[in-house]
Amino acid sequence: MVTAKDSIAALSSGRLPAGVAVIRVSGPKTRFVIETIAGGTVKDRFTTLRKLKAPDGSLIDQGLVLFFPGPGSFTGEDVAEFHVHGSRAVAAKMLETITGFEGVRHAEPGEFTRRAFLNGKLDLVETEALADLVNAETEAQRRFAVRNAEGAQSALYSSWRRRLIHARAMIEAEIDFADEEDVPGSVSDAVWADVAAMIAEIERHIQGFKAAEIIRDGFEVVILGAPNAGKSSLFNALAKREAAIVTDEPGTTRDLLEVVLDLNGMRVVIVDTAGLRDAAGKVETIGIERARAKAGGADLVLLLEDMIDPQPVGEVPTGVPLLKIGTKADLMGTLKGSYDLVISSKDGSGLSGLLDEIAGRAAAAIGDAGDVLPSRLRHVELLKEAKDFLIAAASGARQELRAEELRLASDRLGRIVGAVDVEDMLDVIFSQFCIGK
């Protein structure tokens, strides 16, 4: 990583062409850059309309300029923004001019946010939440990211860490100064009771990762059924487009097809699969195996059955929530069989009820929107390590070793928020950001 003595610049707004393009600059050369291009000083934290010129005096555009002196800026450094007309030509010329100054270069992905972290403006959890907010597609994802960006996760992990530091201090004081009058005769009972409570709190928190995964990646619904049971027709009806080929020939769908829906602000992934049957060809058999495997890890399985001509499907996944759906209701006079829901993809009957059922199950899987959840597998792995150290400390025999286990648990919590020993993770974390953020 290039040191922060360089200033960096990037387009920080969306894809061009657009109504407005925002170009951001950060670093020690920022004030010089903005005053040169804007033709004079700019009042701090005020929006100013200026003619923007290259160093040779040629006019680039007319736009708004803002200057945020460090450390009171997003990165903690001097930061400037140029709001110009959003054509590719204007943005390219602005970036060419800005990076033409000595000591100014194009930013790497996530470099603005990385500088904010290194300058103490954000911790790692808040940084990751900011990335989630930038990438949020649904209301549930936005709420989750905003809550974490505001520090809800960080506050929880930091509170656990403070409790551990206090517990360790009490244990070590008891070890080192047991004969001193101002040290309580025994603090062990209170310390280890709190450690036991913390183990239970961390375990409950870890269990919330499944809900966080559903918020981030989506509630996965897999459609199963025999060939011609109406799986692809339902898939297309939910997608509101011809996403899957629909024919009367068995085995038309051989691979997994996915479409993403936004149901009541929640991301829901619908997966179409190959029809389940015996005596299939080699390629179709591979598709059937993939269908069963996908269904085994789903959040919900829709098992479709043609009510006119029901066909066996063999084994279906166990341990996965399942709805039995009767299809082709538009052709039925009398229902055959017992179904949770009855639908027709042709005339749309029953589809709204199905969507309501899926949305309700997705909401139940996510749980209380106010819960603080671990948002990354990295967090879960470190939390599990911290919990294991706490369990070892609680069951240990020698106070010196138990205090060391508390230190190791505190260290793992510190790594989550970036308080200790995280340099090896920074490149991975910030490479996930877009350029300009």
Side-chain angles (χ1 to χ4, degrees):
M1 186 73 182
V2 181
T3 62
K5 67 182 180 183
D6 294 310
S7 294
I8 55 175
L11 175 69
S12 291
S13 51
R15 181 180 299 178
L16 301 177
V20 175
V22 178
I23 295 171
R24 179 184 284 176
V25 186
S26 180
K29 287 293 186 72
T30 300
R31 186 183 291 274
F32 175 74
V33 167
I34 194 171
E35 291 181 353
T36 302
I37 294 178
T41 59
V42 175
K43 189 174 181 180
D44 296 354
R45 303 180 183 281
F46 274 78
T47 304
T48 308
L49 178 65
R50 291 288 178 89
K51 290 185 177 181
L52 308 177
K53 297 182 179 181
D56 63 5
S58 60
L59 180 66
I60 302 173
D61 194 15
Q62 180 171 274
L64 302 177
V65 294
L66 298 95
F67 179 71
F68 305 91
S73 68
F74 173 70
T75 64
E77 306 171 331
D78 287 351
V79 172
E81 289 184 0
F82 296 91
H83 295 212
V84 296
H85 292 96
S87 74
R88 293 187 178 91
V90 170
K93 183 62 178 178
M94 282 294 299
L95 285 170
E96 177 189 335
T97 301
I98 293 169
T99 56
F101 291 100
E102 183 178 356
V104 185
R105 59 176 174 80
H106 290 282
E108 298 174 6
E111 192 169 0
F112 287 93
T113 308
R114 180 167 186 156
R115 292 190 177 198
F117 167 72
L118 294 174
N119 290 323
K121 310 297 287 188
L122 302 168
D123 64 31
L124 273 188
V125 174
E126 292 167 339
T127 293
E128 291 166 327
L130 189 59
D132 288 342
L133 186 58
V134 170
N135 295 318
E137 296 177 337
T138 66
E139 177 61 16
Q141 290 173 337
R142 184 197 66 79
R143 289 197 305 267
F144 184 54
V146 166
R147 181 167 173 77
N148 290 335
E150 289 180 336
Q153 265 185 288
S154 299
L156 178 62
Y157 302 149
S158 296
S159 70
W160 282 336
R161 189 164 180 249
R162 284 193 300 271
R163 286 162 66 183
L164 287 181
I165 292 171
H166 174 75
R168 182 184 167 205
M170 292 297 98
I171 293 298
E172 292 184 350
E174 188 176 75
I175 294 170
D176 295 337
F177 307 107
D179 56 346
E180 298 291 334
E181 294 182 358
D182 57 348
V183 176
S186 176
V187 296
S188 294
D189 290 346
V191 166
W192 299 120
D194 190 48
V195 167
M198 209 176 312
I199 291 171
E201 291 170 21
I202 292 174
E203 178 57 34
R204 286 195 298 271
H205 183 65
I206 290 172
Q207 291 173 359
F209 183 57
K210 176 60 178 177
E213 282 188 307
I214 291 174
I215 293 172
R216 285 169 49 84
D217 301 328
F219 184 80
E220 189 172 73
V221 180
V222 174
I223 304 174
L224 287 184
N228 293 327
K231 300 183 302 301
S232 294
S233 295
L234 173 60
F235 183 76
N236 288 340
L238 296 179
K240 297 182 179 180
R241 59 186 174 88
E242 295 298 315
I245 299 173
V246 179
T247 72
D248 293 332
E249 180 182 345
T252 301
T253 302
R254 297 187 176 186
D255 208 347
L256 303 175
L257 302 177
E258 294 186 355
V259 66
V260 177
L261 306 181
D262 185 338
L263 297 184
N264 298 341
M266 295 170 290
R267 178 183 172 92
V268 175
V269 181
I270 308 294
V271 184
D272 188 20
T273 63
L276 306 182
R277 65 168 177 160
D278 297 326
K282 183 177 180 180
V283 175
E284 189 180 347
T285 298
I286 294 174
I288 292 172
E289 291 173 352
R290 289 181 178 178
R292 294 189 191 279
K294 189 70 170 177
D299 298 306
L300 176 65
V301 170
L302 304 182
L303 182 59
L304 270 58
E305 185 174 270
D306 182 346
M307 294 187 293
I308 298 174
D309 183 22
Q311 296 293 323
V313 295
E315 293 184 6
V316 295
T318 58
V320 178
L322 183 145
L323 287 175
K324 189 175 181 181
I325 310 294
T327 63
K328 306 182 182 179
D330 55 301
L331 302 177
M332 285 297 298
T334 304
L335 297 182
K336 297 179 181 179
S338 175
Y339 303 101
D340 296 307
L341 292 168
V342 173
I343 65 168
S344 168
S345 299
K346 184 175 182 180
D347 64 18
S349 61
L351 293 186
S352 61
L354 175 59
L355 288 172
D356 289 343
E357 180 68 23
I358 294 172
R361 289 176 179 251
I366 291 173
D368 187 350
D371 290 343
V372 179
L373 307 173
S375 57
R376 290 287 193 285
L377 181 60
R378 177 182 77 85
H379 305 167
V380 173
E381 291 171 345
L382 289 168
L383 288 166
K384 286 180 178 178
E385 290 181 25
K387 186 188 74 169
D388 290 342
F389 285 126
L390 291 179
I391 291 173
S395 60
R398 294 181 55 187
Q399 293 288 68
E400 295 88 346
L401 296 179
R402 299 174 86 183
E404 175 62 11
E405 299 287 1
L406 293 179
R407 184 192 69 79
L408 292 172
S410 174
D411 172 83
R412 296 312 187 269
L413 293 174
R415 292 187 185 193
I416 297 177
V417 296
V420 291
D421 190 24
V422 295
E423 185 62 32
D424 57 337
M425 294 186 291
L426 296 187
D427 288 339
V428 174
I429 290 173
F430 290 107
S431 66
Q432 301 171 24
F433 281 75
C434 57
I435 294 174
K437 192 63 180 177

